């Protein structure tokens, strides 16, 4: 076995899955429930995907438009200056 792999601990996802099974709970820890969602939601998703291409996770630091707005807000309301690398959403 790869020595690096032996240092890995059990993930939070496997821990939460085990707990959900133990308590007969709905497991949302990994983002995929084991039942179909309401049809009005899936239809809204379909329509939204037809209209735009914003269908991926945001960048790790956040959407540039949001971090820019936060920079401006912190400056105008609190006189604090941050650059884009100092803000994470």
């Amino acid at each position: 076995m790869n020595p690096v792999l032996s240092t890995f601990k059990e993930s939070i996802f496997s821990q939460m899955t085990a707990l959900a099974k133990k308590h007969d709970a709905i497991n949302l820890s990994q983002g995929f429930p084991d039942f179909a969602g309401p049809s009005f939601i899936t239809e809204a998703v379909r329509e939204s995907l037809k209209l735009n291409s914003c269908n991926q996770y945001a960048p790790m630091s956040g959407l540039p438009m949001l971090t820019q707005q936060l920079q401006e807000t912190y400056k105008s309301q609190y006189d604090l200056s941050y650059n884009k690398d100092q803000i994470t959403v």
Side-chain angles (χ1 to χ4, degrees), residues 4-5 10 16-18 22 25 28 30 34 51 55 61-62 64 68 76 78 88:
V4 173
L5 292 178
E10 182 181 22
M16 296 306 293
T17 297
K22 178 180 177 182
L28 299 177
Q30 290 178 277
D34 60 357
L51 298 175
N55 59 10
S61 59
Q68 175 66 38
S76 68
Y78 307 107
T88 301

Side-chain angles (χ1 to χ4, degrees), residues 4-81:
V4 173
L5 292 178
S6 66
T7 64
F8 290 171
K9 305 288 185 228
E10 182 181 22
S11 76
I12 187 64
F13 300 112
S14 59
Q15 291 175 20
M16 296 306 293
T17 297
L19 283 169
K21 286 181 179 178
K22 178 180 177 182
H23 298 283
D24 196 27
I26 296 172
N27 182 5
L28 299 177
S29 66
Q30 290 178 277
F32 52 89
D34 60 357
F35 54 87
S39 60
F40 74 92
I41 291 177
T42 54
E43 187 55 38
V45 169
R46 280 189 198 98
E47 291 303 313
S48 178
L49 290 173
K50 288 179 192 175
L51 298 175
N52 66 58
S53 62
C54 295
N55 59 10
Q56 300 295 318
Y57 286 112
M60 288 296 287
S61 59
L63 295 172
M65 183 174 28
L66 176 57
T67 56
Q68 175 66 38
Q69 183 62 53
L70 288 170
Q71 283 177 276
E72 293 170 12
T73 299
Y74 291 139
K75 183 63 179 167
S76 68
Q77 292 187 12
Y78 307 107
D79 197 31
L80 297 172
S81 295

